[in-house]
Amino acid sequence: MDTNDHQLLLPLVDEENICLPLPINVVSKYWNITLPMSEAIESAKQYANSNGSILIEGIESAERHGLKCKIINSSLSELKTVIVSGIPPIVILPGIPEITQHASVISGYDDNEKTILHYIQKGNYEGEQQEGAIPQELFDKEWSEDGRLLIILAPPSVLSSIKLDDTNEISNRLCLISERLIIQKNPSDALASLKKAIELDANNSTALYLIASLLNEQNSNDCIKYYERCIALNKRFYLAYVGLGNYYLKTNQFEKAEIQYTKAIEINPKRSAKIYKNRAYLKEKQKKNSEAKNDLKNYLKLFPKAKDRGIIEQAIREL
């Protein structure tokens, strides 16, 4: 098949909102559906103090305007099948330092170059779509860190034309709904929603992680078993190792915290800057000053604009 058959021409879009994330807006416009920004702005009022984006709000908006959505755990081969079917998929990937995750539209792939193409919006005045190519192997490794979540948004007739394993779709949707409830500071309803997600799919690592996170915030050691179940299902689930490390850190179990942080860093050394600062703190407590110093340097390397840069630089000089 010609390489061009693997690339979708996506519209140039620069409008986004906490309730209308850019990937949802791009894919909706690809299907000639313009989601009203006024609707997103109105919905966003309830999230005035929140950062990032709330995917489920954008998904529900797209569904109200005629599109259908499936949220599944997928694979590289299935991702390619979706693209060949003419559907631009949205994937959940690790964020840049200090951003937990981000949603990215995949515009195509190149089997000759073994790359996956991401839609990138960079203020391009010529009005041309830009793609960022990432090596296929690296993409799959990073995608696996969050359970290879795939969001497929398309007209019902198009979506029904491809065969997908969507047995965990409702469970995954409940995870996105629960994330919204957490942002709305409604942890009890979020926990109930996540437990329902687990009832539907006992192997939903995202739901297990989110339950663990809620319990961690409540300082409950029950979070440990949920993090561990999550890791048993996906040994590359980066955020579960970080969560365990955070719990052990705040309960002064420094050696255990160091083990978990180190495992996370081995999976992805560039995903988080804060993890290095946390590990530096516990290493200093263990009198491992040289290692603590290196971790603080890595923190600043990944997060050069950190607000506490001056304090960290002083700490490096004193170690």
Side-chain angles (χ1 to χ4, degrees), residues 57-75:
E57 288 281 357
I59 288 168
E60 290 175 350
S61 175
E63 289 177 326
R64 286 194 297 272
H65 291 86
L67 296 178
K68 187 174 181 180
C69 181
K70 287 191 180 296
I71 308 157
I72 63 174
N73 300 93
S74 193
S75 64

Side-chain angles (χ1 to χ4, degrees), residues 45-110:
K45 290 179 180 178
Q46 61 184 308
Y47 307 108
N49 298 318
S50 300
N51 296 317
S53 60
I54 303 169
L55 272 173
I56 194 64
E57 288 281 357
I59 288 168
E60 290 175 350
S61 175
E63 289 177 326
R64 286 194 297 272
H65 291 86
L67 296 178
K68 187 174 181 180
C69 181
K70 287 191 180 296
I71 308 157
I72 63 174
N73 300 93
S74 193
S75 64
L76 203 54
S77 60
E78 192 169 56
L79 176 77
K80 291 180 178 180
T81 297
V82 170
I83 293 167
V84 171
S85 300
I87 302 173
I90 299 171
V91 297
I92 305 300
L93 293 171
I96 59 174
E98 306 323 299
I99 297 176
T100 302
Q101 298 170 319
H102 78 283
S104 178
V105 184
I106 303 302
S107 57
Y109 65 94
D110 187 330

Side-chain angles (χ1 to χ4, degrees), residues 209 213 216 223 227 238-248 261:
Y209 163 72
S213 297
N216 196 347
C223 71
Y227 283 131
Y238 177 94
L239 294 175
Y241 292 107
V242 175
L244 259 179
N246 291 344
Y247 178 76
Y248 288 136
Y261 286 150

Side-chain angles (χ1 to χ4, degrees), residues 249 254 257-258 261 278-286:
L249 177 61
F254 297 141
E258 181 180 349
Y261 286 150
N278 285 0
R279 196 172 69 168
Y281 170 80
L282 61 89
K283 283 188 173 182
E284 185 184 359
K285 290 291 183 182
Q286 297 175 87

